[in-house]
C-alpha cells in the first residue's frame, strides 16, 4: 500500500459521511397468520416467501410442507423484508393460542425504529495517481453503525470500479443501542459510491482533466464507456463550466457518478408451467413480485415461447406451495427466474407439439406456434388453433417444472454466484441558491445496462424509482436521533423526509443492451444498480455549482450555507 | 389511541356547553376527563394518536352553521368564519385581489388534501412544532416537564427551532398563515360561554412562552373562535409572502415572512413585517419595520431592513442557517413589493 502512494504525484485524502436512512415502505412489516388447520398459513408482506417459510418451519420445528407463505401483492420492500422477523413467530404463537387468525402489522413508528435501516458511514479514503492519471493506490477505512445488527460496511465499489494495483480496505461495524440495520437497495455500495465518486472527481480536478474524460481513462468497463458517451450527449456534458463559475445567486452545476453491481443469480429458482386442456396457460412459482412487475415479465416470457399473447397467460406466484423461487434481493429475480420460466414453457410446448405431430402424422420438430396457431414449417396448409391443440391432451394438463440449477459455466465466482457486472453512469444537474442554501435537482440522466431488457416501461420505472431514492438520500432522508435520550425524533412520515412530486427531477433513462449469452433470456435485474450513483452525482454537481465540496449527506440549506461561510 | 365519545355540536352555544378544557390544558396536565373541540381535526388527532391527548369526549364544531362564511366589503374588509377551509380561502378571488400575502400563505400551507380538511380557526389555534413537544417520550416544559430537550447544547436536535425569543421554549409556531394574518393586522373574534364577544388583534391573540409556557394563544376552556377579520386595504396597500421549506410539495416552514406596506410610489410609508418559524409565536419585527419606513424600496434598503430584523436573533447550536435564510427571504419579499 505504501509503495502505491510513494509512486503517486497527486493524492486525495478525505473523510466522507453518510447518514442513517430508515426504511419507510408504504406498507409496513407484518403478517396475518392462520394456524387453525394442519398447515400454518401465513399471509406476509415479504420479498422472500421461501425464506419466511424456512424460518417459520425452523422456529416451530415443522416440515416445510406444513408451512405456507403467500404474498400476492407487495407494498414495498427495498431490502428490509427478507425475514419473518420477530412479529412472524409472535403472530403464529398467538394464532395457535387463540385459534383465530392473527393480524400483526408494525405501526409507522415501529417501522422506523425496528424494521431496518441503511447504516451510516464515516469513510476515510486516500487515492493516489501519477501525473498521467494512472491510479497507484486506493486506501479505504470505514466505520458505520447498524445499531444492534451488523452490516455497516461500504461495499466493494472502491475495490472494483477502477482497477488499481494497490488496494486496501478496512470496514468496521460499530455496535450501538439503536434500531437494526437491514439490507437496503445495494447495501454498502450506495455509501461507498458517495465517497469514491467524489474522490475521483477531486483527483481529476487536481490532475487538471475533465472528470468524465478521466473516467474514460481509468475505467476499464466497456459498457460504462458506451453509457458515458450516450449519457454525455443526451445530458450535454459539454456545457459544464469550471466549479463555482456560475455568476448568479442561484448557481447551476453538473456532475457525474458511476457504479457497478454484479449479475447475481440464485440457482435454486424453480417454476412450473402448465398448459390446461381448455387452452389455459398457467405459471406457478414461489417467487414474489416485489412490485416491479415480475408477474408481467413472466407472462411475457411464456407468451413469447408459446406463441400466445400476454393476456392468455395466468400468473400465480408468491406462494410457497409452488416451486421455490428466489428472494427479491441482490437484483437476482429477473436473471434467476426468467430462464427456467422459458425452459419450462419450452418443454411444455414440446409436449403439446408431440400430440399435434401424432395427429398430423408428422414429426414435432417441424411444428411451431405463432399467433395462437400451431403450424408446420413444411406444410403451410396445416393449422390448428392452440386451444384446439390442447384438446388432444389425454390428461387435463401438461405440467413442466424447470430450475435455474445449471450454472452454465460462468457464474461461480470465488465470493458468490455472479457473472460480470452491470455498469451504470448517472449525470446530475442541480441549482443551488447561495443565499438560502436550497438545492434543487433539476435533471438526472441515468444510463444503465441489465442484459436484455424484457419490459422497457417497467425498466424505466424502476430506474426512476432508484434515482428518486438517490435524490432522497442525497438531500432529504435522515434519522434524527436525540443523543441525550436515544430516541428517534422523526419516526413518522411527516418529519422523516422523502421527496414528493415537486422534489422529483426530470429523469431521462438510457438503456444499453449488453448481452452475455449465458441463459435462455439473458435478462438481469435493475433494482439496485439504479440507486447507487445518484447521490454521488448530485454531490459532484453541487461542488460544480458552488465551488465548495460537501463531504456529508444529506445536503441541506444548513450545510450549504455553512460551506459558503454564511453561518456565523 | 384511547376511546372517546363524539358530540356533534349544533351551535356555538351548544359547543361551549359541552366543552370543559383545551388541548393546551390537557397537554400541560392531563386529566382524562376532558371534552375538547375538534374542527378540521388535523392537529387534535395528531396529539391523540401520539397518546399525549386522551380526551373523554370530542366536541365536533366542524358542522356548526354560519361559521363557514367568507365575505369582503371594500370599507369593512374581509371576514373569514373559523370553519372556512384553507382550500376555500385559497380559491377565493377577493383574497387574491386584496390580500395577496394571505393568498400566497394559504396556497403554500400543507398539501391540497390537508387544505381541503383544515379550517382557519384550527390552523391559527394549532399547537407548536417541536418534535420533543410532540413526542410522548419527552416530558418538556410545555407539557409540565422539567426541561427543554431541544435547547440542550450537546444533544438538542434544534435545526428547525426558534432563533428569536427562544428562552424557556424554543419551538416555533406552526401556522404560516398566521404570519400573513398578523402582517395584515387581522383580528380574532372570540365568544365565551356567557355569550360575551371580544375582538383581539393577532398580536394580542398569541401568548409568548415567557408569559405562559402552557399555551401559545389566549383561548380559555369555554371560548371559541368564530371569525377572523382583516381590515380593508387601501389602494396603496401592497403585500408579499415567502415561505422557505425543505420540500416544496409539502413541508413545515423553516422560515417564512409576510410583508404588508402602505406605499406612495416606490417609497414605503408604513410597514408591517412578520416572521414565521422564527420564534414560538409569529414574530412582528419592529426593527425591520422601522428600518424600511419612509425609505425607497430598493435592494440596499431591503437588505438593511432584513439585517435589522436579524439583529436580535440568538441561534441555537444547529439553526444558525436560519439567520442568512431570513435575511435573504425578507429582502426578497420586500423587493417583490417594489
Amino acid at each position: 500500500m505504501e509503495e502505491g502512494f510513494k509512486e503517486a504525484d497527486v493524492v486525495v485524502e478525505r473523510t466522507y459521511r453518510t447518514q442513517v436512512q430508515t426504511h419507510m415502505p408504504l406498507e409496513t412489516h407484518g403478517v396475518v397468520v392462520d394456524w387453525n388447520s394442519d398447515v400454518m398459513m401465513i399471509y406476509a408482506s415479504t420479498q422472500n416467501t421461501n425464506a419466511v417459510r424456512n424460518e417459520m418451519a425452523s422456529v416451530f420445528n415443522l416440515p416445510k410442507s406444513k408451512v405456507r407463505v403467500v404474498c400476492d401483492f407487495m407494498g414495498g420492500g427495498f431490502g428490509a423484508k427478507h425475514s419473518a422477523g420477530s412479529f412472524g413467530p409472535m403472530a403464529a404463537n398467538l394464532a395457535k393460542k387463540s385459534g383465530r387468525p392473527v393480524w400483526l402489522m408494525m405501526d409507522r413508528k415501529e417501522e422506523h425504529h425496528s424494521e431496518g435501516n441503511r447504516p451510516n458511514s464515516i469513510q476515510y479514503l486516500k487515492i493516489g495517481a501519477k501525473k498521467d492519471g494512472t491510479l497507484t493506490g486506493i486506501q479505504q477505512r470505514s466505520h458505520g453503525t447498524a445499531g444492534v445488527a451488523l452490516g455497516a460496511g461500504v461495499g466493494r465499489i472502491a475495490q472494483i470500479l477502477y482497477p488499481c494495483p494497490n488496494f486496501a480496505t478496512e470496514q468496521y461495524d460499530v455496535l450501538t443501542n439503536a434500531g437494526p440495520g437491514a439490507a437496503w437497495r445495494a447495501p454498502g455500495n450506495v455509501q461507498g459510491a458517495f465517497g469514491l465518486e467524489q474522490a475521483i472527481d477531486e483527483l481529476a480536478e487536481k490532475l487538471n482533466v475533465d472528470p468524465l474524460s478521466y473516467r474514460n481513462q481509468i475505467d476499464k468497463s466497456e459498457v460504462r464507456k458506451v453509457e458515458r458517451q450516450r449519457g454525455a450527449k443526451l445530458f450535454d456534458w459539454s456545457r459544464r463550466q469550471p466549479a463555482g463559475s456560475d455568476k448568479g445567486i442561484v448557481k447551476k452545476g453538473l456532475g457525474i457518478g458511476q457504479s457497478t453491481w454484479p449479475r447475481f443469480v440464485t440457482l435454486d429458482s424453480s417454476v412450473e408451467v402448465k398448459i390446461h386442456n381448455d387452452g389455459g396457460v398457467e405459471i406457478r412459482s414461489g417467487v414474489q413480485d416485489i412490485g416491479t412487475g415480475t408477474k408481467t415479465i413472466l407472462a411475457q416470457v411464456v407468451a413469447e415461447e408459446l406463441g400466445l399473447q400476454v393476456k392468455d397467460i395466468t400468473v400465480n406466484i408468491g406462494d410457497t406451495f409452488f416451486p421455490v423461487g428466489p428472494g427479491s434481493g441482490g437484483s437476482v429475480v429477473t436473471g434467476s427466474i426468467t430462464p427456467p420460466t422459458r425452459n419450462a414453457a419450452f418443454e411444455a410446448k414440446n409436449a403439446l407439439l408431440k400430440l399435434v405431430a401424432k395427429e398430423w402424422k408428422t414429426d414435432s420438430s417441424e411444428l411451431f406456434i405463432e399467433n395462437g396457431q400451431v403450424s408446420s414449417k413444411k406444410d403451410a396448409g396445416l393449422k390448428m388453433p392452440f386451444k384446439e391443440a390442447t384438446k388432444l391432451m389425454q390428461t387435463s394438463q401438461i405440467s413442466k417444472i424447470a430450475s435455474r440449477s445449471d450454472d452454465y459455466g460462468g457464474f461461480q465466482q470465488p465470493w458468490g454466484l455472479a457473472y460480470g457486472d452491470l455498469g451504470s453512469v448517472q449525470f446530475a444537474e442541480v441549482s443551488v441558491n447561495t443565499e438560502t442554501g436550497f438545492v434543487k435537482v433539476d435533471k438526472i440522466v441515468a444510463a444503465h445496462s441489465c442484459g436484455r431488457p424484457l419490459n422497457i416501461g417497467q425498466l424505466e420505472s424502476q430506474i426512476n424509482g432508484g434515482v428518486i431514492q438517490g435524490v432522497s438520500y442525497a438531500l432529504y432522508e435522515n434519522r434524527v436521533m436525540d443523543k441525550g435520550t436515544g430516541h428517534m425524533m422523526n419516526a413518522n412520515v411527516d418529519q422523516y423526509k422523502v421527496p414528493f412530486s415537486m422534489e422529483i427531477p426530470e429523469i431521462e433513462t438510457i438503456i444499453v443492451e449488453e448481452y452475455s449469452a449465458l441463459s435462455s433470456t439473458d435478462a438481469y435485474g435493475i433494482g439496485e444498480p439504479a440507486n447507487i450513483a445518484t447521490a454521488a452525482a448530485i454531490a459532484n454537481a453541487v461542488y460544480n455549482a458552488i465551488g465548495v465540496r460537501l463531504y456529508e449527506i444529506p445536503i441541506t440549506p444548513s450545510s450549504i450555507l455553512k460551506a459558503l461561510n454564511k453561518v456565523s | 389511541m384511547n376511546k372517546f365519545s363524539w358530540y356533534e355540536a349544533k351551535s356555538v352555544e351548544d359547543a361551549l356547553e359541552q366543552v370543559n378544557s383545551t388541548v393546551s390544558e390537557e397537554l400541560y396536565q392531563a386529566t382524562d376527563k376532558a371534552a375538547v373541540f375538534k374542527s378540521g381535526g388535523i392537529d387534535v388527532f395528531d396529539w391523540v394518536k401520539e397518546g399525549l391527548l386522551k380526551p373523554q369526549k370530542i366536541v365536533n364544531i366542524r358542522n356548526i352553521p354560519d361559521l363557514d362564511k367568507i365575505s369582503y366589503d371594500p370599507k369593512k374588509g374581509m371576514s373569514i368564519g373559523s370553519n372556512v377551509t384553507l382550500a376555500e380561502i385559497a380559491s377565493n378571488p377577493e383574497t387574491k385581489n386584496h390580500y395577496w400575502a394571505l393568498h400566497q400563505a394559504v396556497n403554500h400551507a400543507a398539501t391540497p388534501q390537508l387544505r381541503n380538511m383544515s379550517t382557519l380557526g384550527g390552523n391559527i389555534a394549532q399547537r407548536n412544532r417541536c418534535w420533543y413537544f410532540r413526542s410522548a417520550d419527552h416530558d418538556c416544559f410545555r407539557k409540565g416537564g422539567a426541561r427543554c430537550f431541544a435547547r440542550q447544547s450537546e444533544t438538542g436536535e434544534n435545526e428547525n427551532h426558534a432563533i428569536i425569543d427562544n428562552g424557556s421554549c424554543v419551538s416555533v409556531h406552526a401556522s404560516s398563515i398566521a404570519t400573513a394574518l398578523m402582517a395584515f393586522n387581522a383580528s380574532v373574534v372570540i365568544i365565551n360561554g356567557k355569550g360575551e364577544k371580544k375582538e383581539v388583534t393577532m398580536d394580542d391573540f398569541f401568548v409568548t412562552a415567557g408569559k405562559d409556557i402552557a399555551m401559545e394563544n389566549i383561548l380559555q376552556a369555554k371560548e371559541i373562535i368564530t371569525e377572523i377579520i382583516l381590515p380593508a386595504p387601501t389602494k396603496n396597500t401592497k403585500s408579499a409572502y415567502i415561505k422557505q421549506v425543505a420540500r416544496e410539495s409539502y413541508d413545515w416552514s423553516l422560515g417564512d415572512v409576510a410583508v404588508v406596506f402602505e406605499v406612495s410610489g416606490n417609497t414605503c410609508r408604513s410597514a408591517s413585517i412578520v416572521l414565521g418559524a422564527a420564534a414560538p409565536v409569529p414574530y412582528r419585527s419592529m426593527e425591520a419595520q422601522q428600518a424600511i419606513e419612509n425609505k425607497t424600496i430598493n435592494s440596499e434598503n431591503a437588505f438593511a431592513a432584513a439585517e435589522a430584523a436579524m439583529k436580535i436573533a440568538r441561534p441555537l447550536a444547529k439553526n444558525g442557517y436560519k439567520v442568512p435564510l431570513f435575511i435573504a427571504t425578507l429582502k426578497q419579499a420586500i423587493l417583490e413589493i417594489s
Side-chain angles (χ1 to χ4, degrees):
Chain A
M1 197 68 253
E2 288 309 310
E3 287 302 305
F5 292 118
K6 265 185 205 158
E7 287 176 59
D9 299 311
V10 176
V11 171
V12 168
E13 192 177 5
R14 296 288 182 196
T15 299
Y16 304 87
R17 289 163 194 266
T18 62
Q19 76 277 40
V20 174
Q21 191 182 19
T22 54
H23 275 282
M24 198 174 75
L26 284 181
E27 176 183 60
T28 59
H29 282 66
V31 289
V32 173
V33 180
D34 186 354
W35 201 358
N36 242 334
S37 68
D38 192 33
V39 170
M40 183 199 286
M41 182 79 213
I42 304 164
Y43 302 91
S45 174
T46 183
Q47 57 194 89
N48 201 330
T49 56
N50 186 35
V52 173
R53 191 264 311 257
N54 295 349
E55 221 177 303
M56 294 295 270
S58 163
V59 168
F60 292 95
N61 201 20
L62 294 168
K64 290 177 187 176
S65 56
K66 287 195 187 294
V67 179
R68 183 180 188 185
V69 177
V70 171
C71 177
D72 287 328
F73 296 99
M74 267 295 277
F78 305 103
K81 289 183 182 168
H82 280 281
S83 133
S86 49
F87 50 84
M90 275 185 218
N93 275 317
L94 291 168
K96 190 76 184 169
K97 277 189 179 155
S98 63
R100 308 271 294 179
V102 169
W103 176 94
L104 187 51
M105 298 294 292
M106 298 305 109
D107 69 19
R108 186 55 63 188
K109 198 182 220 176
E110 291 162 343
E111 185 75 14
H112 276 294
H113 277 294
S114 310
E115 296 304 336
N117 58 59
R118 183 191 296 284
N120 75 327
S121 71
I122 302 168
Q123 314 164 39
Y124 165 85
L125 257 184
K126 185 176 176 185
I127 304 186
K130 292 182 186 167
K131 267 187 202 132
D132 65 3
T134 310
L135 291 174
T136 58
I138 301 177
Q139 192 186 351
Q140 182 183 49
R141 189 171 61 244
S142 77
H143 292 82
T145 181
V148 293
L150 294 172
V154 291
R156 300 173 64 251
I157 209 134
Q159 185 173 355
I160 54 181
L161 200 55
Y162 307 107
C164 177
N166 302 295
F167 175 81
T169 186
E170 302 159 66
Q171 304 187 8
Y172 298 96
D173 267 82
V174 181
L175 287 161
T176 56
N177 285 314
W184 185 325
R185 214 168 186 168
N189 289 270
V190 176
Q191 297 95 299
F194 175 74
L196 179 75
E197 284 298 276
Q198 283 216 79
I200 292 294
D201 243 47
E202 201 166 342
L203 196 58
E205 189 168 45
K206 283 197 170 177
L207 292 162
N208 207 18
V209 291
D210 175 86
L212 188 143
S213 311
Y214 187 48
R215 286 171 173 89
N216 283 335
Q217 180 191 341
I218 60 172
D219 184 1
K220 304 302 171 208
S221 156
E222 288 299 318
V223 71
R224 275 193 301 273
K225 189 174 162 189
V226 175
E227 287 167 351
R228 277 191 303 274
Q229 279 169 358
R230 288 181 55 191
K233 197 174 166 201
L234 182 65
F235 185 72
D236 191 8
W237 179 257
S238 65
R239 68 204 155 106
R240 185 174 179 274
Q241 299 294 315
S245 58
D246 194 342
K247 295 287 174 238
I249 290 170
V250 178
K251 297 185 190 300
K252 282 260 180 193
L254 308 183
I256 183 175
Q258 300 203 134
S259 65
T260 178
W261 188 255
R263 297 175 179 223
F264 283 120
V265 168
T266 299
L267 294 186
D268 187 11
S269 298
S270 302
V271 71
E272 179 183 13
V273 172
K274 284 182 168 189
I275 301 176
H276 294 273
N277 63 357
D278 62 352
V281 178
E282 186 187 354
I283 302 168
R284 291 181 159 199
S285 172
V287 70
Q288 59 292 315
D289 186 340
I290 193 174
T292 52
T294 300
K295 285 177 181 169
T296 306
I297 58 168
L298 293 185
Q300 278 181 264
V301 166
V302 170
E304 183 177 86
E305 190 58 39
L306 295 184
L308 300 173
Q309 293 186 41
V310 172
K311 68 175 171 58
D312 300 328
I313 316 296
T314 304
V315 185
N316 289 318
I317 62 170
D319 185 336
T320 57
F321 271 15
F322 301 149
V324 165
S328 302
S331 302
V332 304
V333 169
T334 301
S336 304
I337 200 71
T338 59
T341 302
R342 176 181 287 282
N343 298 354
F346 175 76
E347 285 175 28
K349 178 179 75 176
N350 283 349
L352 180 69
L353 291 182
K354 273 189 185 144
L355 300 176
V356 180
K358 198 174 162 193
E359 181 80 7
W360 286 346
K361 297 187 173 47
T362 178
D363 193 276
S364 67
S365 65
E366 292 165 10
L367 306 184
F368 64 98
I369 316 177
E370 204 175 68
N371 298 327
Q373 297 265 359
V374 183
S375 307
S376 163
K377 289 177 203 164
K378 290 206 169 150
D379 184 348
L382 286 175
K383 295 272 182 200
M384 189 188 292
F386 181 83
K387 193 173 174 178
E388 290 302 308
T390 62
K391 287 181 182 160
L392 300 172
M393 287 157 49
Q394 282 167 352
T395 53
S396 61
Q397 63 185 30
I398 292 168
S399 163
K400 295 291 175 186
I401 295 178
S403 299
R404 184 69 177 89
S405 53
D406 267 341
D407 178 18
Y408 304 123
F411 288 90
Q412 188 65 54
Q413 304 286 326
W415 43 270
L417 277 174
Y419 168 79
D421 87 323
L422 299 168
S424 312
V425 179
Q426 294 190 357
F427 297 81
E429 179 178 344
V430 302
S431 301
V432 184
N433 186 317
T434 53
E435 287 191 344
T436 60
F438 286 98
V439 176
K440 175 98 177 83
V441 182
D442 299 312
K443 184 172 185 172
I444 299 280
V445 167
H448 289 272
S449 133
C450 58
R452 180 190 174 200
L454 292 183
N455 186 308
I456 297 290
Q458 289 178 351
L459 186 54
E460 289 181 341
S461 182
Q462 261 199 91
I463 294 172
N464 288 344
V467 166
I468 293 165
Q469 217 163 39
V471 169
S472 189
Y473 187 56
L475 301 184
Y476 302 109
E477 285 179 62
N478 191 10
R479 180 184 73 184
V480 179
M481 187 86 105
D482 179 68
K483 290 187 191 68
T485 60
H487 285 290
M488 179 177 173
M489 300 316 300
N490 55 345
N492 51 50
V493 187
D494 183 25
Q495 301 282 324
Y496 187 83
K497 295 190 195 306
V498 296
F500 297 150
S501 55
M502 288 167 83
E503 286 67 57
I504 294 169
E506 179 190 354
I507 302 168
E508 290 200 73
T509 55
I510 293 170
I511 316 261
V512 176
E513 298 187 24
E514 188 201 22
Y515 294 165
S516 58
L518 282 167
S519 82
S520 61
T521 59
D522 216 346
Y524 297 90
I526 196 68
E528 283 159 305
N531 183 223
I532 306 173
T534 317
I538 290 170
N540 283 334
V542 167
Y543 169 70
N544 182 240
I546 64 174
V548 186
R549 200 170 273 285
L550 279 94
Y551 301 97
E552 183 170 0
I553 45 175
I555 296 169
T556 63
S558 181
S559 65
I560 291 282
L561 292 173
K562 272 185 193 158
L564 294 170
N565 279 324
K566 295 198 172 179
V567 179
S568 48
Chain B
M1 198 193 306
N2 70 310
K3 287 189 175 175
F4 50 79
S5 65
W6 184 271
Y7 185 82
E8 197 67 31
K10 287 151 204 76
S11 65
V12 169
E13 297 71 30
D14 184 27
L16 286 167
E17 225 163 79
Q18 291 296 325
V19 80
N20 65 14
S21 186
T22 64
V23 172
S24 300
E25 274 178 35
E26 290 309 301
L27 291 177
Y28 196 71
Q29 45 188 105
T31 64
D32 77 16
K33 295 271 187 294
V36 295
F37 287 143
K38 168 253 152 208
S39 179
I42 313 295
D43 199 35
V44 170
F45 287 132
D46 268 359
W47 292 107
V48 174
K49 281 185 276 186
E50 180 66 20
L52 283 165
L53 180 66
K54 294 173 180 157
Q56 198 172 58
K57 180 159 66 177
I58 294 273
V59 178
N60 184 24
I61 56 172
R62 181 71 186 81
N63 300 318
I64 294 177
D66 301 328
L67 293 186
D68 57 352
K69 302 281 186 288
I70 182 164
S71 66
Y72 176 72
D73 180 295
K75 287 200 181 100
K76 291 187 199 153
M78 182 170 259
S79 159
I80 307 174
S82 55
N83 269 341
V84 173
T85 65
L86 303 191
E88 284 160 349
I89 304 169
S91 62
N92 183 283
E94 309 286 9
T95 315
K96 191 178 174 184
N97 291 338
H98 307 291
Y99 305 96
W100 175 250
L102 176 63
H103 175 76
Q104 287 289 309
V106 173
N107 275 286
H108 285 91
T111 61
Q113 294 91 332
L114 284 168
R115 293 200 289 270
N116 286 334
M117 296 296 291
S118 315
T119 62
L120 185 60
N123 180 275
I124 63 169
Q126 67 182 306
R127 297 306 309 275
N128 276 16
R129 298 308 301 183
C130 168
W131 42 32
Y132 294 98
F133 177 36
R134 286 173 179 268
S135 150
D137 301 313
H138 299 88
D139 197 18
C140 77
F141 284 142
R142 282 226 191 259
K143 290 177 291 193
R147 59 193 292 217
C148 171
F149 296 87
R151 72 168 305 112
Q152 305 298 316
S153 57
E154 295 294 320
T155 60
E157 292 295 340
N158 50 38
E159 50 269 50
N160 302 325
H161 290 71
I163 53 171
I164 294 174
D165 279 354
N166 49 6
S168 50
C169 176
V170 302
S171 68
V172 292
H173 199 271
S175 171
S176 49
I177 295 170
T179 310
L181 289 173
M182 191 186 277
F184 279 112
N185 294 313
S187 54
V188 183
V189 178
I190 297 167
I191 293 181
N192 70 13
K194 294 172 195 150
E196 294 160 344
K197 200 184 228 189
K198 63 180 169 183
E199 186 178 331
V200 295
T201 63
M202 288 293 281
D203 293 76
D204 292 333
F205 175 72
F206 291 110
V207 175
T208 62
K211 209 179 256 177
D212 191 340
I213 193 72
M215 52 219 294
E216 287 109 30
N217 58 57
I218 60 168
L219 286 172
Q220 300 293 320
K222 288 206 178 272
E223 287 185 339
I224 191 168
I225 303 173
T226 55
E227 63 179 316
I228 287 91
I229 295 169
L230 290 97
T234 72
K235 63 179 191 304
N236 293 320
T237 305
K238 291 198 170 183
S239 67
Y241 174 86
I242 298 172
K243 175 182 172 188
Q244 301 289 4
V245 282
R247 291 175 304 191
E248 279 179 68
S249 309
Y250 153 64
D251 225 330
W252 301 97
S253 169
L254 293 176
D256 56 302
V257 302
V259 175
V260 180
F261 283 4
E262 290 296 317
V263 298
S264 65
N266 198 31
T267 302
C268 169
R269 288 297 167 211
S270 77
S272 178
I273 296 175
V274 180
L275 314 179
V281 297
Y283 182 79
R284 179 181 294 283
S285 176
M286 307 297 267
E287 298 84 354
Q289 291 177 181
Q290 280 159 18
I292 195 74
E293 276 175 359
N294 297 314
K295 299 265 171 62
T296 309
I297 301 168
N298 59 26
S299 189
E300 191 189 331
N301 290 335
F303 182 69
E307 279 211 308
M310 284 296 108
K311 281 226 172 72
I312 57 157
R314 297 289 176 269
L316 306 163
K318 293 189 172 179
N319 65 2
Y321 74 97
K322 281 196 175 190
V323 174
L325 181 82
F326 269 109
I327 291 175
T329 308
L330 182 51
K331 184 188 80 174
Q332 192 191 333
I334 291 173
L335 289 175
E336 277 186 14
I337 283 184
S338 64

